[in-house]
Amino acid sequence: MSEFIRFEDVHFHYTEEKPILKGIDLQIAPGEFVALIGGNGSGKTTLAKHCNGLYRPTAGTVLIDGIDTKKTDVASLTPSVAYCYQNPDHQIFHSTIEEEIAFGPKNLGLTASEIEERVKEALQAVDLWELRKEEPFFVGKGTRQKIAVASILAMRPKGIVLDEPTTGLDHRGVQEMMRLIAGLHGEGHTILVVTHDMQLVAEYASRVIVMAQGEIVCDGTPQEVFARQDLLELAQVEAPAAARFAASIGLAAPFPLTLAALKERLAADE
Amino acid sequence: MVGREALLTLADVSWRYEGSSYQALNHIQLQLQPGEVTGLVGLSGAGKTTLLLTMANLIPANYGGDFSGKRTAAEEIGIVFQDPETQFIGLTVEEEIAFSLEARGMDDDEIESRIEEVLELVGLDGFAERSPLELSGGEKQRVAIASALATRPKILLLDEPTSELDPKGTREVFALLKRLKQDSEMTIVVASHATEELAQFCDRMLLISEGTILYDLPTRAFFAQAGELSAHGIHVPDMILLYQWLCRTGRIRGNVADVPLSVEEMEQAYRLIALQVEVER
């Protein structure tokens, strides 16, 4: 099976007058790095929460690793896809970091030694092994965000959905979080990131899905998406500065999206 | 920099929170001139919030700890925090704004007229009866700014006002701040990680690290220190890095300190130089 996540004509609403997802068709292959962008209320978080059964479609079908999310529960889907909340404080509730990380594996019914191994592996992956005895609420937001990611890694999911993983972090925190996510992608995890940070999209994603009013309005490479001014306005975002500059001086598309790509392009055009 | 007419002065101010061995502010020397817009950058934990709380006199007034030095400010100060929801107490936008005015014993007519005034100012006319919690992120933050403006402060302090907002909300808040700067000559200090926006908006920039102000410069001169800023973990906008790279590699003959503060400025600089090259040929 070449697809890992499959949406077939997925609709979702709380009340019929206010549909939130309106007929989503989507396939994500194993190992993809996908960014999901769109304005507030576009339905992107709702779509993301369908990827591990947190939400189930009102109509249509979501298949995760071949499993229909309507026919199973979140716990059974977690080894396939895990969801990392936008605000780490929504998922953190233990008094030490290591207990926090152990919670997921415990719920999977693993043995004590397996749990210990997973906690160590997950904390080492996010570089927090040394802090394992600390209280999660007394560390900075960037660290809490990493704890949230580690608690998900401990369940060894094949796919990880991250909702706004860099919001509220300082520049150094953003860089560390993105290196971490890129590393997980490098190890073969399928990544779906919901984000407002177009620089991040430009640097890391190989595919961008743009949502507006409950529908996918574009699904393409970052180059394709950032060349479409109409779509960017619909999604209420701006292209990265490098692309805006390239367009302003009349470089031909496809526009470079990062500073490194822009420098290369200017040097090559000489 | 003797500012006889400075609105606010911190003279050799140091601060340590009670129970902490860590000096949160170290010998801060700072003056705010009327109408000046200052951007404050630094990593999380560097002291940005502490400095703003000190400017507002919430430190030492509402916090325990060791304060030394002198703070002088004659004027009313408004302060806006990162997450507006944490400061909302009213059930409607109107109640929210009225709160600080009632606490000052203002009469009802005056309160009503001020609410109308500030809602118009932040572009939320007609929102008085709405619940602040059902607004978009950008609207919520504009309500928080309206509440701070209702007491007619001369100085407005904002602590990461856009860090929880989407790009649209961020643009709304900065557009509002630009209007306040132009129309009411408000003195503004904004702590933020959004350096692309700060570069286009601020007159002056401060870098704080471990409670010490490392740089206090006019915005262009500040961002010209790109290498130093990067070394301190500060995001330098791509156009500034591009410009300096073009200068250093001899691709353009500009002054390396004369960095562009927006994509538009970079475009102008680039076109000007392209034109010079044409003329020389």
Side-chain angles (χ1 to χ4, degrees):
Chain A
M1 168 169 286
S2 67
E3 78 232 2
F4 178 53
I5 295 174
R6 182 181 182 91
F7 281 59
E8 290 170 355
D9 194 25
V10 169
H11 293 257
F12 182 81
H13 62 250
Y14 295 104
T15 59
E16 277 187 43
E17 307 80 63
K18 268 193 159 178
I20 298 175
L21 297 180
K22 302 182 219 169
I24 302 290
D25 287 301
L26 173 68
Q27 289 97 42
I28 295 175
E32 278 198 271
F33 194 130
V34 181
L36 184 55
I37 68 173
N40 275 336
S42 62
K44 56 190 191 309
T45 290
T46 303
L47 189 155
K49 285 185 172 169
H50 275 79
C51 293
N52 76 330
L54 277 172
Y55 289 178
R56 296 195 175 85
T58 318
T61 307
V62 177
L63 297 169
I64 304 300
D65 225 0
I67 305 166
D68 185 338
T69 61
K70 273 193 203 157
K71 295 180 182 151
T72 185
D73 54 20
V74 177
S76 319
L77 287 169
T78 296
S80 297
V81 177
Y83 182 91
C84 192
Y85 282 85
Q86 178 169 8
N87 183 342
D89 300 343
H90 289 170
Q91 67 185 76
I92 292 177
F93 53 94
H94 284 88
S95 59
T96 68
I97 291 175
E98 72 183 347
E99 283 174 51
E100 186 63 45
I101 309 304
F103 178 76
K106 268 185 198 161
N107 278 3
L108 294 177
L110 301 177
T111 66
S113 67
E114 280 172 321
I115 293 170
E116 204 176 309
E117 184 191 321
R118 293 226 184 166
V119 168
K120 187 168 186 180
E121 169 191 288
L123 282 175
Q124 283 175 338
V126 301
D127 209 15
L128 289 180
W129 178 242
E130 303 300 321
L131 293 180
R132 63 191 179 279
K133 303 287 183 196
E134 300 284 324
E135 282 195 44
F137 281 103
F138 289 144
V139 296
K141 170 139 191 208
T143 306
R144 292 207 301 284
Q145 195 68 267
K146 285 186 189 171
I147 294 170
V149 174
S151 65
I152 277 165
L153 291 180
M155 293 183 280
R156 292 189 185 153
K158 293 182 203 163
I160 304 174
V161 178
L162 300 115
D163 194 354
E164 286 288 332
T166 59
T167 296
L169 300 187
D170 62 27
H171 181 56
R172 199 168 272 173
V174 172
Q175 303 270 14
E176 282 180 14
M177 180 52 63
M178 287 320 299
R179 270 199 293 274
L180 170 61
I181 296 170
L184 295 173
H185 178 241
E187 287 163 19
H189 290 279
T190 307
I191 305 286
L192 179 69
V193 183
V194 179
T195 186
H196 293 307
D197 184 341
M198 294 307 116
Q199 199 65 48
L200 185 161
V201 172
E203 275 176 46
Y204 294 97
S206 49
R207 176 176 171 192
V208 186
I209 295 171
V210 186
M211 288 196 72
Q213 289 157 4
E215 294 178 81
I216 293 177
V217 293
C218 185
D219 181 349
T221 64
Q223 272 81 8
E224 285 164 350
V225 169
F226 288 127
R228 294 275 309 271
Q229 195 52 40
D230 54 333
L231 288 177
L232 298 178
E233 274 165 32
L234 204 57
Q236 304 172 344
V237 297
E238 266 190 327
R244 281 182 280 143
F245 172 71
S248 79
I249 62 165
L251 290 186
F255 299 134
L257 302 180
T258 62
L259 179 62
L262 177 59
K263 285 177 180 176
E264 232 171 78
R265 180 71 178 274
L266 291 174
D269 280 1
E270 279 165 8
Chain B
M1 281 250 304
V2 182
R4 248 183 323 188
E5 81 271 59
L7 286 185
L8 181 140
T9 303
L10 298 179
D12 199 24
V13 165
S14 295
W15 169 255
R16 188 168 52 75
Y17 287 99
E18 194 171 300
S20 164
S21 56
Y22 181 76
Q23 201 65 29
L25 293 180
N26 271 315
H27 305 287
I28 301 292
Q29 302 282 8
L30 188 66
Q31 287 192 330
L32 298 182
Q33 307 300 331
E36 190 176 44
V37 175
T38 305
L40 175 59
V41 298
L43 290 175
S44 298
K48 298 190 298 295
T49 300
T50 305
L51 182 57
L52 293 178
L53 292 172
T54 307
M55 288 181 189
N57 200 33
L58 292 168
I59 286 177
N62 293 10
Y63 288 80
D66 277 347
F67 181 90
S68 65
K70 192 163 186 293
R71 171 188 178 279
T72 332
E75 304 293 348
E76 183 95 42
I77 292 178
I79 186 161
V80 175
F81 298 99
Q82 182 170 358
D83 183 357
E85 281 186 38
T86 59
Q87 69 190 85
F88 285 159
I89 35 181
L91 291 176
T92 62
V93 167
E94 188 170 46
E95 281 180 34
E96 186 54 46
I97 298 169
F99 181 75
S100 61
L101 303 177
E102 283 164 356
R104 284 172 165 76
M106 210 171 273
D107 69 55
D108 288 354
D109 287 348
E110 177 67 15
I111 289 178
E112 205 172 309
S113 93
R114 291 234 186 158
I115 289 171
E116 204 174 309
E117 171 192 308
V118 292
L119 282 180
E120 197 189 323
L121 203 57
V122 302
L124 292 177
D125 327 46
F127 276 63
E129 304 295 330
R130 301 271 295 271
S131 160
L133 298 180
E134 64 185 30
L135 306 180
S136 75
E139 288 164 352
K140 280 179 192 163
Q141 199 53 284
R142 280 147 67 198
V143 170
I145 294 172
S147 302
L149 292 175
T151 59
R152 295 194 181 142
K154 286 280 195 302
I155 302 175
L156 182 63
L157 308 175
L158 303 109
D159 189 8
E160 298 196 33
T162 63
S163 71
E164 303 286 332
L165 301 185
D166 64 4
K168 181 167 172 268
T170 300
R171 285 196 297 273
E172 282 172 23
V173 167
F174 274 98
L176 166 60
L177 294 180
K178 272 176 199 159
R179 269 209 314 282
L180 291 175
K181 175 184 177 178
Q182 280 158 11
D183 301 349
S184 27
E185 293 181 5
M186 182 75 69
T187 304
I188 299 172
V189 182
V190 52
S192 177
H193 300 303
T195 44
E196 266 190 49
E197 280 80 8
L198 293 178
Q200 294 176 54
F201 167 61
C202 296
D203 306 312
R204 169 188 181 187
M205 292 290 303
L206 304 174
L207 169 64
I208 187 166
S209 173
E210 297 179 354
T212 303
I213 293 179
L214 296 185
Y215 290 104
D216 177 356
L217 291 167
T219 301
R220 203 177 299 277
F222 181 86
F223 281 108
Q225 312 291 325
E228 296 296 315
L229 296 177
S230 296
H232 282 98
I234 303 304
H235 173 64
V236 179
D238 277 353
M239 292 301 103
I240 291 168
L241 297 172
L242 175 67
Y243 178 84
Q244 293 198 332
W245 175 78
L246 290 168
C247 290
R248 288 210 189 88
T249 54
R251 286 181 166 82
I252 61 175
R253 271 170 291 157
N255 179 351
V256 84
D258 208 11
V259 295
L261 297 178
S262 64
V263 171
E264 292 70 30
E265 283 192 17
M266 182 65 228
E267 183 200 348
Q268 282 163 14
Y270 196 82
R271 285 189 184 284
L272 194 67
I273 282 140
L275 198 68
Q276 285 169 358
V277 172
E278 290 273 313
V279 169
E280 283 168 22
R281 276 178 189 162

